[in-house]
Amino acid sequence: MAEKPRSFQEIILRLQTYWASKGCAILQPYDMEVGAGTFHPATTLRALGSKPWAAAYVQPSRRPTDGRYGENPNRLQHYYQYQVLIKPSPPDMQDLYLGSLQAIGIDATVHDIRFVEDDWESPTLGAWGLGWEVWCDGMEVSQFTYFQQVGGHDCKPVSGELTYGLERLAMYVLDIDHVMDMPFNDPDAPIALTYGDVFLQTEQEYARWNFDVADTDVLLQHFVDAEAECQRILEAPADDPKTGRKIIMAHPAYDQCIKASHVFNLLDARGVISVTERQAYIGRVRALAKACADAFVQTEAGGAAA
Amino acid sequence: MPDLLIELFSEEIPARMQTRAADDLRKLVTDGLVEAGLTYAGAAAFSTPRRLTLSIEGLTAESKAVREERKGPKVGAPDQAIEGFLRGAGVAREDLEVRDDKKGQVYFAVIEKPGRMAADIIAEVLEKTVRNFPWPKSMRWGDGALKWVRPLHSILCILSDEGGAQVVPLDVDGITSGNTTRGHRFLAPDAFSVTNFDDYEAKLKRAKVVLRADERAEAIWHDATHQAFALGLEVVEDRGLLAEVAGLVEWPVVLLGRIDDAFLGLPPEVLQTSMKEHQKFFSVRNPKTGRIERFVTVANMETADQGATILAGNQKVLSARLADAKFFWENDLRVAKEGMQPWLDSLANVTFHNKLGSQKDRIERIAALAREIAPSVGADPDLAEQAARVAKSDLSSEMVYEFPELQGLMGQYYANEAGLEAEVAAACKEHYSPLGPSDDVPTAPVSVAVALADKIDTLTGFWAIDEKPTGSKDPFALRRAALGVIRLVLENNVSGRASSLAVFVERAVVPFVAREVDSAKESLIPLKPVVHDFLAQYDLTEAVERFRDWYGEGNSHFKIKRLVEILDDLLSFFHDRLKVFLRDKGIRHDIIDACIAMPGNDDLTLLVKRAEALAETLATDDGENLIQGFKRANNILTQAEEKDGVEYSYGADIKFAEDDAEKALFAALDAADAKIAPAMKAEDFSTAMTAMAALRGPIDAFFTDVQVNADSEILRRNRLNLLSRIRNICLSVADLTKIEG
């Protein structure tokens, strides 16, 4: 058993090293605001089509309604997810996963690690899968999903997806009670930084903005704009007159879908979306996600013949 | 006689599916074996998070040979017919025998099915079972096409007898059968082979797996209660949770932990809900104070530190969860103490339904309606209105956002905190009731008023926008709401002309009429004050009439009129639900129909009293025979009326009575009238119906001794008029023509 990690970033680095050693491409975060690592096109789009895929990456994620001004020991409106997607899912996916826990210092002989039913569904992505939330001593440390459908398309082959909530997991491993007290870099570094040094102020600022200040009229307009742009991009003919090539713009369109989804989350945090409207908004984002998935499977990366 | 052992070993099966899956496995396999000609002495199925196991004892080693003869078409029948027969029987043409039959020569097919070895049958049945297993949800994995609840890893399938065990060979999409399994994921992960069920169960236990779910549940409950008892505490019983937790572990280890003092001030329901929903913890209560002070968690692991790390981890997770709950609770209390106004205001921004306005609009309607209903249920109108105004406020609270199942309950806490009357606070919680058929019905008047107003507004609203339940679709739970209204009315004895459902619904529909008018086209704007004026002054039907007189027939008038029709339609929906409700209570549908056909059927309390009295009467000998007498009288009368083209309804005179039985009937009818009329007026149905049933003797005697269609036209008419008295008396009690039999 390797020595225990000493900081938040060391846990991330160990996960990177572990999954790299298992053959995953280590990607970088997607450069847009997303609610979860699943939204990264390396998961959402790459889970589609027949081409094998193996990727792992950190994804900063935003859930405006979870903001607690940095006061709650482990609830944050901005946090990190670690995401692994392997297609087709290997037969020893569970063991690979348990190996990653070992790599970050979770000794399975003293902890209680459990796979508890959690059927994953993303109404906004038109996606679902079956799997579990993985518990370590009662704490949810990961989501483990076998994707069955994304964007309304059957996943063939099936991808195995892992999502680690990095802060919670790290707090657990490092035995920290409050996220803001967690060492971000090595506690013995010349300039030792805690998670709070990095994020306490931003949590306060964003919580205030998310809950009380964000301009809902502007956000509503952003939503409408992103939706329109997504549709417009997808309506463009596949053949690019300038290059003479067939270029389906699945990714740029999908960016707009991500944007609409995040704006919806912000509106939700502002409390201006009712239960019935919620369904309508989610339906609109899903329609975009489906259209993007439809476009992606027409592309080479999506498995269509070149 | 060999025994069969099957184990399907997979990744973790959801706890809630395990028991059912074990049953399904047993049923599918045993049915398949029996269908293929095997018999067995006994079968039992088991489940753990990672395996479904089936043990079959005393299986026959092979199926018997079967000889079957099938009669086919006549010799010389068209080729098509013969070929069809060959296909069905699975034989070749040259194998057919020709035999003499009554109608000539006929083909016969003799099908010989040789006996088959049990192993062949098992392999076939098990493969079919795996491929067609009725999981509520199943999935594919990797690049395969096989579906299972989670990836299936191995199949153990052995037949064993005194001579030893043999693997039943079988291959399902690359998963080949064997005689090995694995123990606990962490405590005994290595594969081992087994020879029969006893060996299997014993080796599993050594490998830290308790095969039987009830054994796991019992162990959990035993350990939990003992540990709690040692501290003078008790575990809050929760059978659903126990079953679920038993399905989450193969090797249960019970750990009792402490709840941080900082959270003991939270309402016990919040502690319980948070611990159960998020952590699957049992709550441990101090019987002296009723407070939840500790928790029990069940681990799937034995550790060198006796679970210390695991318990510490669980405690930490719980603290984080409860810190969240406390954050909500404290924020909510601040709002509550100041009177909850921000919550009420924010409900204006929450759409209830896009055609029915915001939650605030809805609350306004419910408040006005609760006020109107209050006198009918003995509630103070001011309190009822106030309760309705605050009853939904907790929907804006943070706690209810996090735990929707605590709606109402939190409302009660917050209303108390806001310093509102206890009755008002109670209504916040109780107005949602009854939720299901077994849920308690509130009896506190203010709660009843708000509960009725809430449900009636919902029903009327969805009727107004034509979103009624159809078939199995009832997305707004309107059937449940209607049943709730029925039970509230009946169990609280809500009755009287001003307290009937029609009156309530009519009041409930007014705001929707007003809304319809308000949203009407611009050309109608000058009319709005008029309609509102009429609505304020008159009852709905009259208001609409007056509006029509005033305005003339027009487009929007018909929309409003449609809203009036809601009354009738909704009332018949209530009657349908009432029929279902009473049928479950053992009252026949024809009895209910006979009572629904009577005036005043919108007073459900009265309607049910009438139905119960009628059911009771019909259960007696007199009652049952009276129906026959009534029907006979009614038939003769109807035929005569049709034939003569007149209605015999008046003027039977005793002076034309010749026969003793006839005179006796006159007297009996007079006596019955004297009893029934006042009893009906007093709504004393059982006295009325007993008096009616007493007519059975005189009516029977009359039909025995007296010829109605006498030669004398005077006598005949008098007797028909006498029959009409029977009809009138009976029909005044209930519409007995609807009674069957």
Side-chain angles (χ1 to χ4, degrees), chain A residues 68 72 74-75 89 91 94 108-115 117 119 130-132 135 137-139 146 148 155-158 172 175 177 274 276, chain B residues 11-12 14 16 137 139-140 142 150-151 153 185-186 248-249 278-279 298-301 303 309-310 313-314 316-317 320 324 327-328 351-352 402:
Chain A
R68 296 288 181 274
N72 185 280
N74 62 12
R75 261 201 211 221
S89 65
Q94 277 187 315
T109 64
V110 293
H111 291 286
D112 181 32
I113 296 167
R114 229 91 69 71
F115 293 85
E117 177 193 13
D119 297 345
L130 299 190
W132 311 273
W135 286 14
D137 303 338
M139 160 110 89
Y146 292 103
Q148 302 295 302
C155 297
K156 282 184 180 170
V158 168
Y172 202 80
D175 195 22
D177 288 329
S274 73
T276 33
Chain B
E11 296 178 14
E12 278 76 357
R16 66 191 169 91
K137 263 188 192 169
M139 54 163 272
R140 294 170 288 110
R150 293 293 184 275
H153 281 268
R185 184 188 277 287
F186 301 108
L248 287 172
V249 292
H278 292 314
Q279 306 300 136
V298 183
N300 186 38
M301 193 65 193
T303 62
T309 308
I310 296 173
N314 274 287
K316 188 184 281 188
V317 178
D324 239 10
F327 175 80
F328 302 143
T351 310
F352 168 60
E402 182 70 12

Coordinates of all heavy atoms in Angstrom, one line a residue, chain A residues 68 72 74-75 89 91 94 108-115 117 119 130-132 135 137-139 146 148 155-158 172 175 177 274 276, chain B residues 11-12 14 16 137 139-140 142 150-151 153 185-186 248-249 278-279 298-301 303 309-310 313-314 316-317 320 324 327-328 351-352 402:
Chain A
R68 N -23.2 27.3 -0.4 CA -23.5 27.5 1.0 C -22.6 28.6 1.6 O -22.2 28.5 2.7 CB -23.4 26.2 1.8 CG -24.3 25.1 1.4 CD -25.8 25.4 1.9 NE -26.6 24.3 1.5 CZ -27.2 24.2 0.3 NH1 -27.1 25.1 -0.6 NH2 -28.0 23.1 0.0
N72 N -20.9 25.3 4.6 CA -21.1 23.9 4.8 C -19.8 23.1 4.7 O -19.0 23.4 3.8 CB -22.2 23.4 3.8 CG -22.6 22.0 3.9 OD1 -21.9 21.1 3.5 ND2 -23.7 21.8 4.6
N74 N -19.1 20.3 3.3 CA -18.8 19.8 2.0 C -19.7 20.1 0.9 O -19.8 19.4 -0.1 CB -18.5 18.2 2.1 CG -19.8 17.5 2.6 OD1 -20.9 18.1 2.6 ND2 -19.6 16.3 2.9
R75 N -20.5 21.2 1.0 CA -21.3 21.5 -0.1 C -20.7 22.8 -0.8 O -20.5 23.8 -0.1 CB -22.7 21.8 0.3 CG -23.6 20.6 0.0 CD -25.0 21.0 0.0 NE -25.8 19.8 0.4 CZ -26.9 19.4 -0.1 NH1 -27.4 20.1 -1.1 NH2 -27.5 18.4 0.3
S89 N -17.1 -1.1 -21.9 CA -16.7 -1.3 -20.5 C -16.0 -2.7 -20.3 O -16.5 -3.7 -20.8 CB -18.0 -1.3 -19.6 OG -18.8 -2.4 -19.9
P91 N -14.5 -6.1 -18.6 CA -15.2 -7.0 -17.6 C -14.7 -6.8 -16.2 O -15.5 -7.1 -15.2 CB -14.7 -8.4 -18.0 CG -14.0 -8.3 -19.3 CD -13.8 -6.8 -19.6
Q94 N -15.2 -3.0 -12.2 CA -15.3 -2.8 -10.8 C -13.9 -2.9 -10.1 O -13.6 -2.1 -9.2 CB -16.2 -3.8 -10.1 CG -17.7 -3.4 -10.3 CD -18.6 -4.4 -9.5 OE1 -18.4 -5.6 -9.6 NE2 -19.6 -3.9 -8.7
A108 N -9.1 -1.0 1.4 CA -10.4 -1.7 1.4 C -10.5 -2.7 2.6 O -11.6 -3.1 2.9 CB -10.6 -2.5 0.1
T109 N -9.4 -2.9 3.4 CA -9.6 -3.9 4.5 C -10.0 -3.2 5.8 O -10.4 -3.8 6.7 CB -8.2 -4.6 4.8 OG1 -7.3 -3.6 5.2 CG2 -7.7 -5.4 3.6
V110 N -9.9 -1.8 5.8 CA -10.5 -1.2 7.0 C -11.7 -0.3 6.8 O -12.3 0.2 7.7 CB -9.4 -0.3 7.7 CG1 -8.3 -1.1 8.3 CG2 -8.9 0.8 6.8
H111 N -12.0 -0.2 5.5 CA -13.2 0.6 5.2 C -14.4 -0.3 4.7 O -14.2 -1.5 4.4 CB -12.9 1.6 4.1 CG -12.0 2.7 4.5 ND1 -12.4 3.7 5.3 CD2 -10.7 2.9 4.3 CE1 -11.4 4.5 5.6 NE2 -10.3 4.0 5.0
D112 N -15.5 0.3 4.6 CA -16.7 -0.4 4.2 C -17.1 0.1 2.8 O -17.7 1.2 2.7 CB -17.8 -0.2 5.2 CG -19.1 -0.9 4.8 OD1 -19.1 -2.0 4.2 OD2 -20.2 -0.4 5.2
I113 N -16.7 -0.6 1.8 CA -17.0 -0.1 0.4 C -18.2 -0.8 -0.2 O -18.2 -2.1 -0.2 CB -15.7 -0.2 -0.5 CG1 -14.6 0.7 0.1 CG2 -16.0 0.2 -1.9 CD1 -13.3 0.4 -0.4
R114 N -19.1 -0.1 -0.7 CA -20.4 -0.7 -1.1 C -20.9 -0.1 -2.4 O -20.7 1.1 -2.7 CB -21.5 -0.4 -0.1 CG -22.2 -1.6 0.3 CD -21.6 -2.3 1.5 NE -21.8 -1.5 2.7 CZ -22.9 -1.3 3.3 NH1 -24.0 -1.8 2.9 NH2 -23.0 -0.6 4.4
F115 N -21.5 -1.0 -3.2 CA -22.1 -0.5 -4.5 C -23.6 -0.5 -4.3 O -24.3 -1.5 -4.2 CB -21.7 -1.5 -5.6 CG -20.3 -1.5 -5.9 CD1 -19.4 -2.3 -5.2 CD2 -19.8 -0.7 -7.0 CE1 -18.0 -2.3 -5.5 CE2 -18.4 -0.7 -7.3 CZ -17.5 -1.5 -6.6
E117 N -27.4 0.7 -5.4 CA -28.1 1.0 -6.6 C -28.3 2.5 -6.8 O -28.8 3.2 -5.9 CB -29.5 0.4 -6.5 CG -30.4 0.7 -7.7 CD -31.9 0.4 -7.6 OE1 -32.3 0.1 -6.5 OE2 -32.6 0.4 -8.6
D119 N -29.6 4.3 -10.3 CA -29.8 4.4 -11.8 C -29.6 5.8 -12.2 O -30.3 6.7 -11.7 CB -31.2 3.9 -12.1 CG -31.3 2.4 -11.7 OD1 -30.3 1.8 -11.4 OD2 -32.5 1.9 -11.7
L130 N -27.4 2.2 -15.9 CA -27.6 1.6 -14.7 C -26.2 1.4 -14.0 O -25.2 1.3 -14.6 CB -28.2 0.2 -14.8 CG -29.6 0.1 -15.5 CD1 -30.2 -1.3 -15.4 CD2 -30.5 1.1 -14.9
G131 N -26.3 1.5 -12.7 CA -25.0 1.3 -11.9 C -25.3 1.6 -10.5 O -26.3 1.2 -9.9
W132 N -24.3 2.2 -9.9 CA -24.4 2.4 -8.4 C -23.8 3.8 -8.0 O -23.0 4.3 -8.8 CB -23.5 1.4 -7.7 CG -23.7 0.0 -8.1 CD1 -24.7 -0.9 -7.7 CD2 -23.0 -0.7 -9.1 NE1 -24.6 -2.1 -8.3 CE2 -23.6 -2.0 -9.2 CE3 -22.0 -0.4 -10.0 CZ2 -23.1 -3.0 -10.1 CZ3 -21.5 -1.4 -10.9 CH2 -22.1 -2.7 -10.9
W135 N -20.3 3.7 -2.0 CA -20.2 4.3 -0.7 C -18.9 3.8 0.0 O -18.5 2.6 -0.1 CB -21.3 3.8 0.2 CG -22.6 4.4 -0.1 CD1 -23.0 5.2 -1.2 CD2 -23.8 4.4 0.7 NE1 -24.3 5.6 -1.1 CE2 -24.8 5.1 0.0 CE3 -24.1 3.8 1.9 CZ2 -26.1 5.2 0.5 CZ3 -25.4 3.9 2.4 CH2 -26.4 4.6 1.7
D137 N -17.8 3.9 3.8 CA -18.2 4.2 5.1 C -19.4 5.1 5.1 O -19.4 6.1 5.9 CB -17.1 4.8 5.9 CG -15.8 3.9 6.0 OD1 -16.0 2.7 5.8 OD2 -14.7 4.4 6.2
G138 N -20.3 4.9 4.3 CA -21.6 5.7 4.2 C -21.5 6.9 3.4 O -22.4 7.7 3.2
M139 N -20.3 7.2 2.9 CA -20.1 8.4 2.1 C -20.1 8.0 0.6 O -19.4 7.1 0.2 CB -18.8 9.0 2.5 CG -18.2 10.0 1.4 SD -18.3 11.6 1.9 CE -16.7 11.7 2.7
Y146 N -23.1 2.1 -16.1 CA -23.0 1.5 -17.5 C -24.0 2.3 -18.4 O -25.2 2.1 -18.2 CB -23.3 0.0 -17.4 CG -22.3 -0.8 -16.7 CD1 -22.5 -1.2 -15.4 CD2 -21.1 -1.1 -17.2 CE1 -21.6 -2.0 -14.7 CE2 -20.1 -1.9 -16.6 CZ -20.4 -2.3 -15.3 OH -19.5 -3.1 -14.6
Q148 N -26.4 3.3 -21.0 CA -27.3 2.5 -22.0 C -27.8 3.4 -23.1 O -28.0 2.9 -24.2 CB -28.5 1.9 -21.2 CG -28.1 1.0 -20.0 CD -27.4 -0.2 -20.5 OE1 -27.9 -1.0 -21.2 NE2 -26.2 -0.4 -20.0
C155 N -26.4 3.0 -26.6 CA -24.9 3.0 -26.5 C -24.5 1.5 -26.9 O -24.7 0.6 -26.2 CB -24.4 3.3 -25.1 SG -24.8 5.0 -24.6
K156 N -23.9 1.4 -28.1 CA -23.4 0.1 -28.5 C -22.0 0.3 -29.1 O -21.9 0.9 -30.1 CB -24.3 -0.4 -29.6 CG -25.6 -1.1 -29.1 CD -26.4 -1.7 -30.2 CE -27.6 -2.3 -29.6 NZ -28.6 -2.7 -30.6
P157 N -21.0 -0.2 -28.5 CA -21.0 -0.9 -27.2 C -21.3 0.1 -26.0 O -21.4 1.3 -26.2 CB -19.5 -1.4 -27.1 CG -18.7 -0.5 -27.9 CD -19.6 0.0 -29.0
V158 N -21.4 -0.6 -24.8 CA -21.7 0.2 -23.6 C -20.4 0.8 -23.0 O -19.4 0.1 -23.0 CB -22.4 -0.8 -22.6 CG1 -22.4 -0.2 -21.2 CG2 -23.7 -1.2 -23.1
Y172 N -12.2 12.8 2.8 CA -12.3 11.5 3.5 C -10.9 10.9 3.6 O -10.5 10.5 4.7 CB -13.2 10.5 2.7 CG -13.7 9.5 3.6 CD1 -14.7 9.7 4.5 CD2 -13.0 8.2 3.7 CE1 -15.1 8.8 5.4 CE2 -13.4 7.3 4.6 CZ -14.5 7.6 5.4 OH -14.9 6.7 6.4
D175 N -8.8 12.9 6.0 CA -9.4 13.1 7.3 C -9.6 14.5 7.7 O -9.1 15.0 8.7 CB -8.6 12.3 8.3 CG -9.4 12.2 9.6 OD1 -10.6 12.2 9.6 OD2 -8.7 12.0 10.7
D177 N -12.4 17.6 8.3 CA -13.9 17.8 8.6 C -14.5 18.9 7.8 O -15.7 18.8 7.5 CB -14.0 18.1 10.1 CG -13.7 16.9 10.9 OD1 -14.0 15.8 10.5 OD2 -13.2 17.1 12.1
S274 N -40.7 27.2 -11.9 CA -41.6 26.4 -11.1 C -41.5 25.0 -11.5 O -40.9 24.6 -12.5 CB -43.1 26.9 -11.4 OG -43.4 26.5 -12.7
T276 N -43.6 23.0 -12.9 CA -44.1 22.7 -14.2 C -43.2 23.2 -15.3 O -42.9 22.6 -16.3 CB -45.5 23.2 -14.5 OG1 -45.7 24.4 -13.7 CG2 -46.6 22.2 -14.0
Chain B
E11 N -22.5 -8.6 -10.7 CA -22.1 -7.4 -9.9 C -23.4 -7.0 -9.1 O -24.4 -7.6 -9.3 CB -21.7 -6.3 -10.9 CG -20.4 -6.7 -11.6 CD -19.8 -5.7 -12.6 OE1 -20.3 -4.5 -12.7 OE2 -19.0 -6.1 -13.4
E12 N -23.3 -6.0 -8.2 CA -24.3 -5.8 -7.2 C -25.7 -5.6 -7.7 O -26.0 -4.6 -8.4 CB -23.9 -4.7 -6.2 CG -22.9 -5.1 -5.2 CD -21.4 -5.3 -5.7 OE1 -21.2 -5.2 -6.9 OE2 -20.6 -5.6 -4.8
P14 N -29.5 -4.5 -7.2 CA -30.2 -3.6 -6.3 C -31.0 -4.3 -5.2 O -31.7 -5.3 -5.5 CB -31.2 -2.8 -7.3 CG -30.5 -2.9 -8.6 CD -29.7 -4.2 -8.6
R16 N -33.7 -3.7 -3.6 CA -35.2 -3.8 -3.7 C -35.6 -4.9 -4.7 O -36.8 -5.3 -4.8 CB -35.8 -2.5 -4.1 CG -35.4 -2.0 -5.5 CD -35.8 -0.6 -5.7 NE -35.2 -0.1 -7.0 CZ -35.7 -0.2 -8.1 NH1 -36.9 -0.7 -8.3 NH2 -35.1 0.2 -9.2
K137 N -35.6 -3.6 -14.5 CA -34.7 -2.9 -15.4 C -33.5 -3.7 -15.7 O -32.9 -4.2 -14.7 CB -34.3 -1.6 -14.7 CG -35.1 -0.3 -15.0 CD -34.3 0.8 -14.4 CE -35.2 2.1 -14.4 NZ -34.5 3.1 -13.6
M139 N -29.8 -4.3 -18.3 CA -28.8 -3.5 -19.0 C -27.9 -4.5 -19.8 O -27.7 -5.6 -19.5 CB -28.0 -2.7 -18.0 CG -27.3 -3.5 -16.9 SD -26.0 -2.6 -16.1 CE -24.6 -3.1 -17.1
R140 N -27.2 -3.8 -20.8 CA -26.2 -4.5 -21.5 C -24.8 -4.0 -20.9 O -24.8 -3.0 -20.2 CB -26.2 -4.1 -23.0 CG -27.4 -4.7 -23.7 CD -27.6 -4.1 -25.1 NE -28.0 -2.7 -25.1 CZ -27.2 -1.7 -25.4 NH1 -26.0 -1.9 -25.9 NH2 -27.7 -0.4 -25.3
G142 N -20.2 -3.9 -21.8 CA -19.2 -4.2 -22.7 C -19.7 -4.2 -24.2 O -20.5 -3.3 -24.5
R150 N -27.2 -6.3 -13.8 CA -25.9 -5.7 -13.8 C -25.0 -6.8 -14.5 O -25.5 -7.9 -14.6 CB -25.3 -5.4 -12.4 CG -26.1 -4.3 -11.6 CD -25.9 -2.9 -12.2 NE -26.6 -1.9 -11.4 CZ -27.8 -1.6 -11.5 NH1 -28.6 -2.2 -12.4 NH2 -28.3 -0.6 -10.8
P151 N -23.8 -6.5 -14.9 CA -23.0 -7.5 -15.6 C -23.0 -8.9 -14.8 O -22.7 -8.9 -13.6 CB -21.6 -6.9 -15.6 CG -21.9 -5.4 -15.7 CD -23.1 -5.2 -14.8
H153 N -21.4 -12.4 -14.2 CA -20.0 -12.9 -14.3 C -19.9 -14.4 -14.4 O -19.0 -14.9 -15.1 CB -19.2 -12.4 -13.1 CG -18.7 -10.9 -13.2 ND1 -17.5 -10.6 -13.8 CD2 -19.3 -9.8 -13.0 CE1 -17.4 -9.3 -13.9 NE2 -18.5 -8.8 -13.4
R185 N -16.7 -10.0 -1.3 CA -15.8 -9.2 -2.2 C -14.4 -8.9 -1.6 O -13.4 -9.0 -2.3 CB -16.5 -7.9 -2.6 CG -15.8 -7.1 -3.7 CD -16.4 -5.8 -3.9 NE -17.5 -5.8 -4.8 CZ -17.4 -6.0 -6.2 NH1 -16.2 -6.2 -6.7 NH2 -18.4 -6.0 -6.9
F186 N -14.4 -8.5 -0.4 CA -13.1 -8.2 0.2 C -12.6 -9.2 1.2 O -11.4 -9.4 1.3 CB -13.2 -6.8 1.0 CG -13.7 -5.7 0.0 CD1 -15.0 -5.2 0.2 CD2 -12.8 -5.2 -0.9 CE1 -15.4 -4.2 -0.7 CE2 -13.2 -4.2 -1.8 CZ -14.5 -3.7 -1.7
L248 N -28.2 -5.1 1.2 CA -27.0 -4.3 0.8 C -25.8 -5.0 1.3 O -24.7 -4.5 1.0 CB -27.1 -2.9 1.4 CG -28.1 -2.0 0.7 CD1 -28.3 -0.7 1.5 CD2 -27.6 -1.7 -0.7
V249 N -25.9 -6.1 2.1 CA -24.7 -6.7 2.7 C -24.8 -8.2 2.6 O -25.8 -8.8 2.5 CB -24.7 -6.3 4.2 CG1 -24.4 -4.9 4.4 CG2 -26.0 -6.7 4.9
H278 N -30.7 9.3 3.2 CA -29.4 9.5 2.7 C -28.4 8.4 3.1 O -27.6 8.0 2.3 CB -28.8 10.8 3.2 CG -29.5 12.0 2.7 ND1 -29.8 12.2 1.3 CD2 -29.9 13.2 3.3 CE1 -30.3 13.3 1.1 NE2 -30.5 14.0 2.3
Q279 N -28.6 7.9 4.3 CA -27.5 7.0 4.9 C -28.0 5.6 5.1 O -27.2 4.7 5.4 CB -27.0 7.6 6.2 CG -26.5 9.0 6.1 CD -25.4 9.2 5.1 OE1 -25.4 10.1 4.3 NE2 -24.4 8.3 5.1
V298 N -25.2 -0.4 9.2 CA -24.9 -1.8 9.0 C -23.8 -1.9 7.9 O -24.0 -1.5 6.8 CB -26.1 -2.6 8.6 CG1 -25.7 -4.1 8.4 CG2 -27.2 -2.5 9.6
A299 N -22.6 -2.3 8.3 CA -21.5 -2.4 7.4 C -21.5 -3.8 6.8 O -22.1 -4.7 7.3 CB -20.2 -2.1 8.1
N300 N -20.7 -3.9 5.7 CA -20.6 -5.2 5.0 C -19.2 -5.7 5.2 O -18.6 -6.4 4.4 CB -20.9 -5.0 3.6 CG -20.9 -6.3 2.8 OD1 -21.4 -7.3 3.3 ND2 -20.4 -6.3 1.6
M301 N -18.6 -5.4 6.4 CA -17.1 -5.6 6.5 C -16.7 -5.8 7.9 O -17.2 -5.1 8.8 CB -16.5 -4.3 6.0 CG -15.0 -4.4 5.7 SD -14.7 -5.5 4.4 CE -12.9 -5.7 4.6
T303 N -13.4 -5.6 10.3 CA -12.1 -5.0 10.2 C -11.3 -5.3 11.4 O -11.8 -5.6 12.5 CB -12.2 -3.5 10.0 OG1 -12.8 -2.9 11.1 CG2 -13.0 -3.1 8.8
T309 N -12.9 2.6 12.2 CA -12.8 3.6 11.1 C -14.1 3.8 10.4 O -14.5 4.9 10.0 CB -11.7 3.0 10.1 OG1 -10.5 2.7 10.9 CG2 -11.4 4.0 9.0
I310 N -14.8 2.6 10.2 CA -16.0 2.7 9.4 C -17.0 3.6 10.2 O -17.7 4.5 9.6 CB -16.6 1.3 9.2 CG1 -15.7 0.5 8.4 CG2 -18.0 1.4 8.7 CD1 -16.0 -1.0 8.3
G313 N -16.2 7.2 10.0 CA -16.5 7.7 8.7 C -18.0 8.0 8.6 O -18.4 9.1 8.2
N314 N -18.8 7.1 9.0 CA -20.2 7.2 8.9 C -20.7 8.4 9.8 O -21.6 9.2 9.4 CB -21.0 6.0 9.4 CG -21.1 5.0 8.3 OD1 -21.9 5.1 7.4 ND2 -20.3 3.9 8.3
K316 N -19.0 11.0 10.5 CA -18.6 12.3 9.8 C -19.6 12.6 8.7 O -20.0 13.8 8.5 CB -17.2 12.1 9.3 CG -16.6 13.4 8.7 CD -15.3 13.2 8.1 CE -14.2 13.1 9.2 NZ -12.9 13.1 8.5
V317 N -20.0 11.6 7.9 CA -20.9 11.8 6.8 C -22.2 12.3 7.4 O -22.8 13.3 6.9 CB -21.2 10.5 6.1 CG1 -22.2 10.8 5.0 CG2 -19.9 10.0 5.5
A320 N -22.1 16.0 8.4 CA -22.2 16.9 7.2 C -23.7 17.0 6.7 O -24.1 18.1 6.4 CB -21.3 16.4 6.1
D324 N -26.2 20.3 7.0 CA -27.1 20.8 6.0 C -28.5 21.0 6.5 O -29.1 22.1 6.3 CB -27.1 19.8 4.8 CG -26.6 20.4 3.6 OD1 -26.0 21.5 3.6 OD2 -26.7 19.7 2.5
F327 N -28.7 23.9 8.8 CA -28.6 25.1 8.0 C -30.0 25.5 7.5 O -30.5 26.6 7.6 CB -27.6 24.9 6.9 CG -27.5 26.1 5.9 CD1 -26.7 27.2 6.2 CD2 -28.1 26.0 4.6 CE1 -26.6 28.2 5.3 CE2 -28.0 27.0 3.7 CZ -27.2 28.2 4.0
F328 N -30.7 24.5 6.9 CA -32.0 24.7 6.4 C -33.0 25.1 7.5 O -33.8 26.1 7.4 CB -32.6 23.5 5.7 CG -31.8 23.0 4.6 CD1 -31.6 21.6 4.4 CD2 -31.1 23.8 3.7 CE1 -30.9 21.1 3.3 CE2 -30.4 23.4 2.6 CZ -30.2 22.0 2.5
T351 N -45.1 28.7 -10.5 CA -46.3 28.3 -11.3 C -46.9 27.0 -10.7 O -46.1 26.0 -10.6 CB -46.0 28.1 -12.7 OG1 -45.3 29.2 -13.2 CG2 -47.2 27.9 -13.6
F352 N -48.1 26.9 -10.4 CA -48.8 25.7 -10.0 C -49.0 24.8 -11.3 O -48.6 23.7 -11.4 CB -50.1 25.9 -9.3 CG -50.9 24.7 -9.0 CD1 -50.4 23.6 -8.3 CD2 -52.2 24.6 -9.5 CE1 -51.2 22.5 -8.2 CE2 -53.0 23.5 -9.4 CZ -52.5 22.4 -8.7
E402 N -35.3 20.4 0.2 CA -34.4 19.2 0.4 C -35.1 17.9 0.6 O -34.8 16.9 0.0 CB -33.5 19.5 1.5 CG -32.4 18.5 1.7 CD -31.3 18.4 0.6 OE1 -31.3 19.4 -0.2 OE2 -30.6 17.5 0.6

